[in-house]
Amino acid sequence: MNMFTLVLRNISRRKGRFIFTLLGIVIGMAAFVALLSLGGGMRAEINDQARAMGANIIVTPADWCTFDQISIFTGESLPASLQEEVLDQVRELDGIFAVPYLTQMSAIQNVPVAVIGIDPEPMKEFSRWEIADGQYFESSEQHGAVLGAATAETFDLGVGDEVRFRGEVFPVIGVLESVGSIDDIAVYLPLPVAQVAFEQEGFISYIGVQVEHLDQTDAYVAAILDVANVAVNTNDQLLETVMGMLGSIEVTLQAIAGISLIAAAFGIINTMMTAIYERRREIGILRSIGSTRADIFKIFLLESGLYGLLGGILGSVVGVLISVFAAPTLLASFDQMMKGASPEASIEPMTFVFAIVFAIVIAVASGIYPAWKAAGLSPVEAISYE
Amino acid sequence: MNKSSMAFPLERKKTLQILKFTTLVALLVSFTIFALGCGGDGDVLTVGDVSHDPFAFQGEIVVSGLVTHFTLDNDRIFGVKDLDEMRQCGFNIECGAWIMPVLYIGTGEIPQLGDEVNLTGHFTYVEDDLVFQVTEYSVVGNFAAQLN
């Protein structure tokens, strides 16, 4: 009988204990893998949203806090405290293509919806919009609304229908093609029309900027700061802020999953210590027929490692299943925060490998003390144990 | 050997099997309840949702917010701010977030300063002033210690 066969036989000797000890690792690893997969999905979604926005630089009022900056990506309403003159000052700079946004909130069928005032022609070019149905704005004074694709579908609205904001009725003149970003979940009005409706004449929320030479972004940022008292962030900086927030949430959740793994590790220690007491005589016999302390140490360490291997594999599979099938429920809050987002679990092969290796490491580390205790047993005392 | 000592090992095995099965079912049910409960309450609006266009919301709605102000002459009228905005402002009462005026016409006690409340009511004008007229509310938390 070789060592591996011995280990397998020992582990499966008490099936109930084996299953419950294994469950501890499986649950801990499942939680860990599920959180890794879901976190990866959320990061990918935020990245996609930021890229789809099309802006290299965001110009905001100088006094905006982090919440306001993040709200650019999450579709929340934004303060309208940037004077429209700033837009003219920014547009005068060379190599810059700037569009204004006035982001307000209203409701359709009692569901909050973002209403965004835009400069129609530049915005269409900036965001590379296409019209799916109806037509686009013919002028910046046109009293009508263009809907994002998801808005039209959610509320079953189309060309010829009407929407009401701030007591005014706006006919729906067009519906945009889906672009896979928060652009899909908004209603668009020409900026002057939105400013009048929401009593924000002369003000906008922020400015999106595309630059001609991406490698000179810092120079453009400096140029904008020279002409206006504003805050300027590159798209990457804003993304970093959002990812930073997400990161701290992820770390917290993974710490909680880590605690369950620590509990599982103590379960393994407990199981192995119990096994040592039950198998004292067996250990004594093995020592007496020539097994060394190192052999005994290896046997018990292998048993622990096997728990880790099996628990890691099963836990990873369960974790992936949880993240795939439970993602819509578990990420409902993320959907509410990032309106229009539809994150999916991000399953990387390396996640599997990492999870299995991590489980084995924890299990082996848990088994070191019991293995050491087992190897330290005196053969005479062990063999005479009843 | 009497019958009871023969029967005991079988009963014990059956008991263990029932225990294992029950534990597994309990775990499954708990996870299901947990997963369902993590979905968040999609029907509750925030103060930020309603601030720009209150009358876009028709009929009875539920709005969640933080009680930050009371009027001197009528304690049934109080001000509620958006909780997320207050968090970002460091719970500074004077931060620029919009104060939603609330008129409580229910029969219970009024909420306390710092209460996080879910208010059920509708927007209306009372003597030309916009108010959110509330018939009932529930307190879901309290941040009085953080208000400054």
Side-chain angles (χ1 to χ4, degrees):
Chain A
M1 185 185 289
N2 63 31
M3 200 178 274
F4 193 67
T5 313
L6 188 64
V7 164
L8 272 177
R9 197 199 68 179
N10 286 336
I11 267 188
S12 55
R13 192 181 298 182
R14 294 204 188 271
K15 289 187 176 51
R17 189 169 68 195
F18 167 65
I19 287 170
F20 282 110
T21 306
L22 192 64
L23 263 179
I25 288 259
V26 167
I27 289 170
M29 286 316 301
F32 201 70
V33 168
L35 288 169
L36 275 178
S37 301
L38 292 171
M42 286 194 281
R43 283 180 177 276
E45 184 68 22
I46 291 170
N47 252 319
D48 289 345
Q49 296 266 4
R51 252 184 267 116
M53 197 184 158
N56 310 122
I57 291 174
I58 309 287
V59 179
T60 64
D63 59 352
W64 265 20
C65 57
T66 314
F67 176 76
D68 296 325
Q69 290 176 348
I70 289 167
S71 296
I72 291 174
F73 292 129
T74 62
E76 300 284 347
S77 65
L78 292 165
S81 49
L82 196 60
Q83 295 208 328
E84 215 174 332
E85 289 105 61
V86 173
L87 175 66
D88 299 327
Q89 289 165 336
V90 171
R91 277 178 165 168
E92 279 173 11
L93 298 169
D94 291 331
I96 273 180
F97 179 25
V99 293
Y101 295 79
L102 174 66
T103 307
Q104 306 287 282
M105 290 297 283
S106 183
I108 297 175
Q109 297 165 19
N110 272 12
V111 174
V113 67
V115 179
I116 304 180
I118 56 167
D119 195 353
E121 275 315 307
M123 187 65 181
K124 193 179 178 197
E125 188 189 335
F126 189 89
S127 298
R128 294 189 214 114
W129 284 343
E130 300 285 340
I131 286 286
D133 190 23
Q135 62 184 35
Y136 194 62
F137 300 111
E138 287 175 343
S139 78
S140 58
E141 308 297 330
Q142 187 172 1
H143 193 88
V146 168
L147 309 184
T151 304
E153 190 182 332
T154 302
F155 299 109
D156 197 22
L157 293 169
V159 177
D161 289 327
E162 290 174 344
V163 287
R164 181 187 288 270
F165 306 127
R166 302 276 292 185
E168 271 187 71
V169 173
F170 297 88
V172 176
I173 62 167
V175 177
L176 298 172
E177 289 276 6
S178 175
V179 290
S181 72
I182 58 167
D183 287 1
D184 290 341
I185 59 159
V187 176
Y188 299 95
L189 304 178
L191 181 63
V193 173
Q195 285 172 324
V196 167
F198 287 90
E199 294 176 20
Q200 301 289 349
E201 289 95 320
F203 290 95
I204 54 180
S205 299
Y206 67 98
I207 302 168
V209 173
Q210 284 174 358
V211 301
E212 199 176 329
H213 304 289
L214 272 175
D215 56 336
Q216 294 171 24
T217 305
D218 288 345
Y220 290 114
V221 168
I224 294 170
L225 287 171
D226 272 343
V227 300
N229 179 24
V230 290
V232 183
N233 288 289
T234 62
N235 205 23
D236 289 341
Q237 284 169 335
L238 274 183
L239 201 56
E240 226 176 274
T241 308
V242 177
M243 293 299 198
M245 270 184 61
L246 182 65
S248 55
I249 296 168
E250 273 182 302
V251 162
T252 306
L253 291 174
Q254 281 162 17
I256 295 170
I259 288 170
S260 70
L261 280 171
I262 291 171
F266 280 108
I268 291 176
I269 294 174
N270 187 46
T271 297
M272 299 309 295
M273 292 300 292
T274 311
I276 292 169
Y277 288 120
E278 286 178 354
R279 287 150 56 187
R280 269 180 185 252
R281 206 171 154 77
E282 180 187 318
I283 293 169
I285 293 171
L286 281 171
R287 289 294 310 278
S288 65
I289 60 172
S291 296
T292 62
R293 286 182 201 272
D295 291 333
I296 304 297
F297 187 85
K298 274 185 220 165
I299 287 169
F300 279 85
L301 211 60
L302 270 174
E303 284 181 28
S304 307
L306 200 57
Y307 274 115
L309 177 66
L310 292 172
I313 293 171
L314 284 172
S316 300
V317 170
V318 172
V320 167
L321 288 174
I322 290 172
S323 59
V324 167
F325 291 108
T329 310
L330 295 173
L331 293 179
S333 299
F334 182 79
D335 288 349
Q336 287 175 19
M337 186 185 85
M338 296 277 299
K339 297 182 184 9
S342 50
E344 295 171 348
S346 167
I347 302 156
E348 306 274 328
M350 283 311 294
T351 306
F352 273 114
V353 173
F354 174 74
I356 293 167
V357 168
F358 190 45
I360 293 171
V361 165
I362 287 180
V364 166
S366 310
I368 288 175
Y369 176 72
W372 176 74
K373 288 290 279 186
L377 285 175
S378 147
V380 171
E381 284 174 18
I383 210 167
S384 60
Y385 179 76
E386 289 193 30
Chain B
M1 188 182 293
N2 58 33
K3 281 185 185 173
S4 60
S5 65
M6 284 175 70
F8 183 66
L10 286 174
E11 279 180 12
R12 190 170 176 227
K13 192 175 174 184
K14 199 173 172 184
T15 307
L16 282 173
Q17 282 174 340
I18 292 169
L19 194 62
K20 282 180 199 172
F21 178 72
T22 314
T23 308
L24 280 169
V25 168
L27 281 172
L28 206 62
V29 169
S30 307
F31 174 75
T32 308
I33 292 171
F34 175 73
L36 288 173
C38 281
D41 193 339
D43 293 334
V44 177
L45 302 163
T46 66
V47 172
D49 287 335
V50 302
S51 61
H52 290 205
D53 195 359
F55 288 101
F57 298 88
Q58 302 290 310
E60 293 272 293
I61 56 174
V62 180
V63 179
S64 169
L66 192 68
V67 178
T68 57
H69 292 80
F70 287 93
T71 53
L72 291 172
D73 50 356
N74 184 348
D75 62 1
R76 300 233 142 218
I77 297 177
F78 50 90
V80 168
K81 284 190 172 182
D82 189 272
L83 178 58
D84 282 336
E85 287 198 58
M86 288 299 290
R87 276 202 183 96
Q88 296 302 319
C89 290
F91 290 95
N92 181 347
I93 285 181
E94 300 308 320
C95 93
W98 181 65
I99 305 173
M100 184 174 81
V102 175
L103 169 64
Y104 177 51
I105 60 169
T107 53
E109 287 184 9
I110 56 166
Q112 302 297 307
L113 186 72
D115 278 344
E116 182 190 355
V117 287
N118 283 351
L119 306 159
T120 303
H122 64 276
F123 283 100
T124 185
Y125 282 106
V126 173
E127 294 175 11
D128 296 330
D129 292 324
L130 170 73
V131 294
F132 187 62
Q133 189 165 291
V134 168
T135 50
E136 61 175 317
Y137 74 91
S138 59
V139 178
V140 296
N142 184 277
F143 294 85
Q146 282 123 303
L147 286 176
N148 58 79

